[in-house]
Amino acid sequence: MVKLSGGVEWALHCCVVLSAATEPTPATKLAELHDVSPSYLAKHLQSLSGAGLIHSTQGKSGGYLLTRSAADITVLQIVEAIDGATPAFRCTEVRQRGPLAASAESCTIPCGIARVMGDADRAWRESLGAVTVADLADELSSTAGPATLPRVNRWLQTGT
Amino acid sequence: MVKLSGGVEWALHCCVVLSAATEPTPATKLAELHDVSPSYLAKHLQSLSGAGLIHSTQGKSGGYLLTRSAADITVLQIVEAIDGATPAFRCTEVRQRGPLAASAESCTIPCGIARVMGDADRAWRESLGAVTVADLADELSSTAGPATLPRVNRWLQTGT
DNA sequence: GGTCTTGTACTCGGATAACACTTGTCCGAGTGTGCTGGG
DNA sequence: CCCAGCACACTCGGACAAGTGTTATCCGAGTACAAGACC
């Protein structure tokens, strides 16, 4: 089954929230806001940190912050940070196996099946790469109201 | 990790081969041709049969055959038969959870994140749905030579 | 010689274990903050 | 009153189990073919 890690959804929501944050936000707060497991969310935030999308500061008032403008972070980058950048389809070169195997030197170019799957994968990634976190934030303001993100930001800071 | 079942590759190859076959081909022969586990390949062929893409006949000279012209079977149909038609991304409605949860009646339309992921999934499926098994067979004839498929067919029938 | 019966060998189909990966959790290392004591 | 030192509390980071889905396998049900016996 072609299945995406559930943590991708959390990571996307967190990035949208962080795009409105002005001060470092700890993982605990983000987990409480979304009502998910703090430990497990922390794991995914580590992945985002490792990919260079968010920056972590330790210490008492530490937490996570975007490393650059939300307009410069695409959904694709977040998905690949969490889920890996390897294509969903991996060609095992079946044509080179069995009694009628093709010679290795005739297989310099990928077979038709691998090319079709690769094209589809590319279309998927291109679609995800066309949307930025800023777009998601704008979309949220349009549908849920412009006060949504500031309200979330206030809750993160003061708890009310 | 977004990962596709390995059996998808086998199923696609089998369908291309079957598009050139004129008589029922048993799963054993297909497994031997591709040098893969016969039992496991049989499982995937069952899925294709259940989806109505191939038809099975039992008995001594039985086997599998396409139910319709190769030009009427798309790659997408094969992938969905093996791997399921459920989208890779499943929205868990995070916005309705936590201390700042949105009301249920304000969530009649999917959130922006779910829409972006849905669009990407649609692009992926659209790309796969544009290619038919006949296209793959033609492509194979162009790159590996026009004699390839007839030769495979002869091997399936006579073993030489 | 033709036809019916029977046996056989071959096919698919679904139920059954082993493995891998995702999911979920925990505790230790590191660091900024705030307090305390002294100058 | 100002500054240095220190202890603390809070943060992230990576290492450690449990659940779920994929991978791989086997054996039983069903069927067409072929041989053989009978008319």
Side-chain angles (χ1 to χ4, degrees):
Chain A
M1 172 82 71
V2 52
K3 185 76 195 313
L4 214 49
S5 291
V8 169
E9 182 180 11
W10 302 355
L12 287 168
H13 278 277
C14 285
C15 284
V16 172
V17 168
L18 285 178
S19 74
T22 54
E23 296 179 25
T25 308
T28 313
K29 278 280 178 187
L30 289 171
E32 191 181 348
L33 173 64
H34 295 114
D35 188 27
V36 297
S37 160
S39 320
Y40 191 32
L41 179 62
K43 188 180 184 64
H44 292 306
L45 292 175
Q46 281 172 34
S47 297
L48 292 179
S49 176
L53 298 177
I54 61 179
H55 177 71
S56 67
T57 45
Q58 281 189 337
K60 188 152 190 166
S61 62
Y64 287 106
L65 219 51
L66 296 184
T67 53
R68 52 182 183 271
S69 163
D72 293 331
I73 299 179
T74 66
V75 174
L76 176 62
Q77 290 170 333
I78 297 172
V79 170
E80 289 189 337
I82 300 293
D83 222 58
T86 57
F89 181 84
R90 193 176 67 92
C91 182
T92 59
E93 288 292 335
V94 172
R95 57 181 172 176
Q96 293 187 36
R97 304 173 58 180
L100 267 63
S103 62
E105 54 263 24
S106 68
C107 296
T108 53
I109 61 173
C111 75
I113 291 175
R115 233 177 306 163
V116 169
M117 302 303 286
D119 287 344
D121 206 82
R122 221 165 292 127
W124 183 70
R125 291 192 145 77
E126 195 172 327
S127 181
L128 291 181
V131 182
T132 67
V133 174
D135 294 333
L136 291 176
D138 289 344
E139 198 275 348
L140 184 61
S141 296
S142 309
T143 57
T148 305
L149 274 178
R151 188 179 162 211
V152 168
N153 193 19
R154 197 185 60 188
W155 183 88
L156 288 174
Q157 302 297 335
T158 65
T160 58
Chain B
M1 173 82 71
V2 52
K3 185 76 195 314
L4 213 50
S5 291
V8 169
E9 183 180 12
W10 301 356
L12 286 168
H13 278 276
C14 285
C15 284
V16 172
V17 168
L18 285 177
S19 74
T22 54
E23 295 178 27
T25 308
T28 313
K29 278 280 178 187
L30 289 170
E32 192 180 347
L33 173 65
H34 295 113
D35 188 25
V36 297
S37 162
S39 320
Y40 192 33
L41 180 63
K43 188 179 184 63
H44 292 307
L45 292 175
Q46 282 171 34
S47 297
L48 292 179
S49 176
L53 297 177
I54 61 179
H55 176 72
S56 68
T57 45
Q58 282 189 338
K60 188 153 191 168
S61 63
Y64 288 105
L65 220 50
L66 296 183
T67 54
R68 52 183 184 270
S69 163
D72 293 332
I73 299 178
T74 67
V75 173
L76 176 63
Q77 289 169 336
I78 298 172
V79 170
E80 289 189 338
I82 301 293
D83 222 60
T86 57
F89 181 83
R90 193 175 67 91
C91 180
T92 60
E93 289 293 335
V94 172
R95 58 181 169 175
Q96 294 186 34
R97 302 172 61 180
L100 268 61
S103 62
E105 54 263 23
S106 68
C107 296
T108 54
I109 62 172
C111 74
I113 291 174
R115 234 178 304 163
V116 169
M117 301 305 284
D119 286 344
D121 205 83
R122 221 164 292 128
W124 183 70
R125 292 193 145 78
E126 196 172 326
S127 180
L128 291 181
V131 181
T132 68
V133 174
D135 294 332
L136 291 176
D138 289 345
E139 198 275 347
L140 185 61
S141 297
S142 309
T143 56
T148 305
L149 275 177
R151 188 178 163 213
V152 168
N153 194 19
R154 195 186 63 189
W155 183 89
L156 287 174
Q157 302 298 334
T158 66
T160 59

